[in-house]
Amino acid sequence: MNSCRILAALLITAATLPAQSMPHIEKRGDHYAMVVDDKPFLVLGAQINNSSSWASTLPDVWPALADLHVNTVEAPVYWELMEPQQGKFDFANVDLLVTGAREHHLKLVLLWFGTWKNGQNHYVPEWIKTDPKKYPREQNDRGKLLDVMSPNSTSNLEADKHAFVALLHHLKEIDGSQHTVIMIQVENESGSVGSVRDFSPAAQKQFQAPVPSALARALHKDASGTWSQVFATNADESFAAYSTSSYINEVAKAGKAEYALPMYCNVWITYPVHALENRNRPSAGQEYPSGGAQQQNIAIWKAAAPSIDVLAPDFYSDDVPLFHSVVTAYDREDNPLFIPETGIGKNVGRYFFYVLGHGAIGFSPFGIDYTNWTLKKREIPDSIAENYALIGPLEAQVAQLNLDGKLQTAVEEPGMARQDLKFGDVVATASFGFPQSDGEAPPGTLDAHGRVLVAQTGPLEFLVTGFDASVSFTFTPAYAKSNNAQIEILRAEEGTYDNGIWKTTRIWNGDQTDRGLNFGEGDHGQVVRIRLHSLPLTGDLATH
Ligand code: DGJ
């Protein structure tokens, strides 16, 4: 189809569909879920490579996504392509993404590669790149112009905002009643690479002015004064974080006023600098883009960017404790957890289960397409494919259970082959690896890949699934003793959800349940609903 026919088809479908509520993020207590077309929705995502949102490459994108069993694709929109001349917009690639996602029954998260891409300006249109007088660059402390746009410039902000609003307007027209596009990433890994902040004369003036009082209040800083007075040694980076987050907030706010999709910012996080000499912390503007929503800048961003619904860490490392610390930093009462990018290293399958247990609204490995960039020879990461194949049919239930705070996961760690999950007085014990012998500790798996999900669906009812683990249920010793009670299985049904309705395929008993529910090696993809009851532990129960 040529681009005019694609657009016409998009507009016709938009006009004929019933209205449903906008995609949004719902909060219950401290828990979150995406809601799409009035149903909880878990993003089982994948992000395509940077240069893959093209007619020439999209044929290599869709099969990889299908092989990974994703329900959502994250794909970039390039400002330089969308507004090649100032005020003249071309949405052909956006339309291709929307029609392609629909054809492949996927939801779409669009990534706005605007002012920032990985702490630089490489996606701004030529008419901006070539006019640094009108669209100022950041300058480092020696006055050098960088390939970073100044976040302290109104003309930069207005140009980005204008383009972003045009994009949202177009999305409202073509997708306002269909909701293929469920969320927008505003910019990409914002912040500045090459300088801790903008030292241009205009920025200098703002830096020497008093810190905005609303920010000082939000950060519980009573000092009123300049950035250096209030933030001392962190003044430069804090100024950069405030400038960047305020700018992006304006872009997001204007976009939402046009079409109110959920919006997030992905973060090039701060990694520890093991390898660097004479320094115990990484430097802003060198090892990470200064002023992004890194762990240490979350409070500033939350105060200055209320139109951004989610600060979402990208994670590229096999360091499991580091992953846990990053998840803890972003899983906040005021921030839904969303991992919009991960590498596809050896732990990625476990990371997914780990974030589900933290109530994540979604997860997405990076570089999933068959353009031979990230995935050589079409090698799909098995652990993600099997995770998504398992959770895909339960996706709405998992999102709802997380919104209700009823779901937990156990993820194997080397040397920790048994883990307990507590649901009030009930303990679900996950034992990893097989064979498991009575009275002995479980062996664990060779590469510690065991993972388990348990969700409470009633006082003594649970939904259970996992890989290479057994799961058994007991009362806590204290409860068992004071209530003279023990747990017994009434019924364990293997099955799946079909359009939200549970369908039993068989009942597990005997060897499949005697030593816990057995999610054995090679038996991937099983889901069990288990109903338990409380039986007296001891005593004469004869009726007299
Ligand atoms: C993180 C960025 O957000 C992506 O766009 C991409 O550049 C990856 N890094 C590459 O590894």
Side-chain angles (χ1 to χ4, degrees):
M1 263 201 281
N2 68 29
S3 56
C4 291
R5 286 174 59 200
I6 290 174
L7 180 60
L10 285 166
L11 290 170
I12 289 164
T13 8
T16 51
L17 285 163
Q20 271 163 325
S21 73
M22 282 291 288
H24 61 278
I25 297 175
E26 195 163 317
K27 184 176 189 203
R28 196 166 296 167
D30 287 355
H31 306 286
Y32 290 95
M34 284 279 304
V35 177
V36 176
D37 292 335
D38 303 323
K39 288 200 287 281
F41 183 80
L42 176 69
V43 175
L44 304 174
Q47 184 167 147
I48 66 176
N49 281 298
N50 289 167
S51 304
S52 294
S53 284
W54 289 90
S56 60
T57 39
L58 283 172
D60 292 325
V61 163
W62 309 115
L65 299 173
D67 290 348
L68 203 68
H69 308 294
V70 311
N71 63 14
T72 304
V73 51
E74 295 177 0
V77 174
Y78 318 116
W79 186 7
E80 61 178 355
L81 182 71
M82 198 188 88
E83 195 182 5
Q85 286 168 284
Q86 188 166 15
K88 300 244 177 322
F89 293 103
D90 177 351
F91 296 108
N93 281 47
V94 175
D95 296 343
L96 269 182
L97 291 171
V98 174
T99 40
R102 285 182 191 163
E103 270 164 35
H104 295 87
H105 309 290
L106 296 174
K107 294 295 181 188
L108 179 59
V109 171
L110 290 176
L111 318 174
W112 173 235
F113 284 11
T115 299
W116 285 277
K117 165 70 172 78
N118 297 19
Q120 292 171 314
N121 69 352
H122 297 178
Y123 284 86
V124 305
E126 269 187 45
W127 51 269
I128 289 191
K129 278 190 185 146
T130 51
D131 195 352
K133 218 172 158 79
K134 183 156 179 204
Y135 301 105
R137 305 301 183 89
E138 268 203 17
Q139 295 182 19
N140 70 12
D141 55 1
R142 291 177 306 283
K144 180 175 188 285
L145 266 60
L146 303 175
D147 51 353
V148 183
M149 305 309 296
S150 169
N152 303 101
S153 148
T154 318
S155 41
N156 291 348
L157 170 61
E158 289 307 318
D160 188 323
K161 208 159 85 174
H162 186 247
F164 190 69
V165 167
L167 171 63
L168 271 291
H169 179 82
H170 182 72
L171 292 178
K172 182 166 76 179
E173 268 189 1
I174 62 164
D175 198 42
S177 54
Q178 201 157 342
H179 307 152
T180 301
V181 181
I182 56 168
M183 189 151 60
I184 304 279
Q185 179 186 288
V186 193
E187 316 293 344
N188 190 87
E189 293 191 341
S190 65
S192 101
V193 165
S195 178
V196 64
R197 67 171 173 88
D198 187 7
F199 288 86
S200 67
Q204 246 349 63
K205 216 163 144 197
Q206 294 179 32
F207 182 71
Q208 275 145 12
V211 169
S213 52
L215 178 67
R217 262 199 317 279
L219 299 182
H220 308 293
K221 299 216 179 248
D222 43 25
S224 69
T226 63
W227 289 87
S228 302
Q229 286 160 345
V230 175
F231 289 94
T233 51
N234 291 326
D236 291 329
E237 184 176 355
S238 301
F239 176 72
Y242 180 73
S243 307
T244 309
S245 54
S246 313
Y247 181 121
I248 292 179
N249 188 60
E250 287 301 309
V251 174
K253 192 164 78 182
K256 279 185 169 178
E258 188 63 37
Y259 184 44
L261 283 171
M263 298 200 182
Y264 74 96
C265 288
N266 68 328
V267 186
W268 176 338
I269 56 163
T270 308
Y271 292 89
V273 282
H274 303 297
L276 298 176
E277 284 172 14
N278 303 326
R279 274 194 292 152
N280 56 10
R281 51 179 285 192
S283 299
Q286 285 183 43
E287 280 86 20
Y288 61 90
S290 185
Q294 287 88 17
Q295 300 90 313
Q296 67 278 18
N297 293 332
I298 294 177
I300 293 180
W301 271 75
K302 282 289 166 190
S307 293
I308 295 298
D309 302 287
V310 190
L311 303 178
D314 296 342
F315 193 80
Y316 287 89
S317 165
D318 285 331
D319 184 336
V320 174
L322 179 65
F323 184 67
H324 292 184
S325 78
V326 169
V327 167
T328 308
Y330 289 87
D331 175 12
R332 296 164 44 120
E333 184 274 321
D334 61 357
N335 193 59
L337 181 65
F338 177 50
I339 308 292
E341 289 182 39
T342 63
I344 49 173
K346 60 181 173 155
N347 292 321
V348 61
R350 301 160 67 215
Y351 290 167
F352 171 73
F353 264 68
Y354 186 77
V355 299
L356 278 189
H358 270 260
I361 62 168
F363 185 83
S364 173
F366 175 82
I368 306 299
D369 59 45
Y370 291 143
T371 57
N372 206 32
W373 182 261
T374 320
L375 304 178
K376 303 294 177 196
K377 298 195 199 130
R378 300 190 158 222
E379 274 169 6
I380 277 288
D382 288 343
S383 63
I384 311 172
E386 65 186 12
N387 279 345
Y388 283 6
L390 177 69
I391 301 299
L394 326 174
E395 148 288 291
Q397 284 69 31
V398 167
Q400 179 69 53
L401 287 160
N402 256 336
L403 183 62
D404 296 338
K406 301 278 190 199
L407 186 151
Q408 297 186 51
T409 58
V411 181
E412 186 182 355
E413 306 278 338
M416 277 179 62
R418 178 166 279 158
Q419 288 176 37
D420 287 344
L421 302 173
K422 272 192 75 184
F423 295 85
D425 300 315
V426 177
V427 182
T429 301
S431 302
F432 297 110
F434 293 96
Q436 296 181 3
S437 311
D438 292 342
E440 283 178 28
T445 61
L446 276 183
D447 53 355
H449 66 256
R451 48 211 197 271
V452 152
L453 175 157
V454 183
Q456 190 163 27
T457 51
L460 285 173
E461 286 183 21
F462 295 84
L463 185 72
V464 191
T465 187
F467 296 100
D468 300 329
S470 72
V471 181
S472 51
F473 290 86
T474 50
F475 284 125
T476 61
Y479 181 89
K481 192 164 170 222
S482 57
N483 294 277
N484 187 36
Q486 60 182 316
I487 279 183
E488 187 176 63
I489 296 174
L490 287 179
R491 190 173 161 104
E493 299 175 355
E494 181 187 330
T496 191
Y497 285 94
D498 184 3
N499 273 324
I501 312 286
W502 175 258
K503 299 260 156 73
T504 304
T505 48
R506 61 173 175 159
I507 292 175
W508 282 15
N509 208 334
D511 292 344
Q512 280 66 54
T513 59
D514 287 346
R515 291 168 184 81
L517 300 174
N518 238 281
F519 300 92
E521 256 155 4
D523 294 337
H524 290 173
Q526 295 159 324
V527 181
V528 171
R529 263 187 15 171
I530 189 166
R531 197 147 51 79
L532 310 164
H533 80 138
S534 173
L535 180 76
L537 188 56
T538 58
D540 177 6
L541 301 178
T543 46
H544 298 287

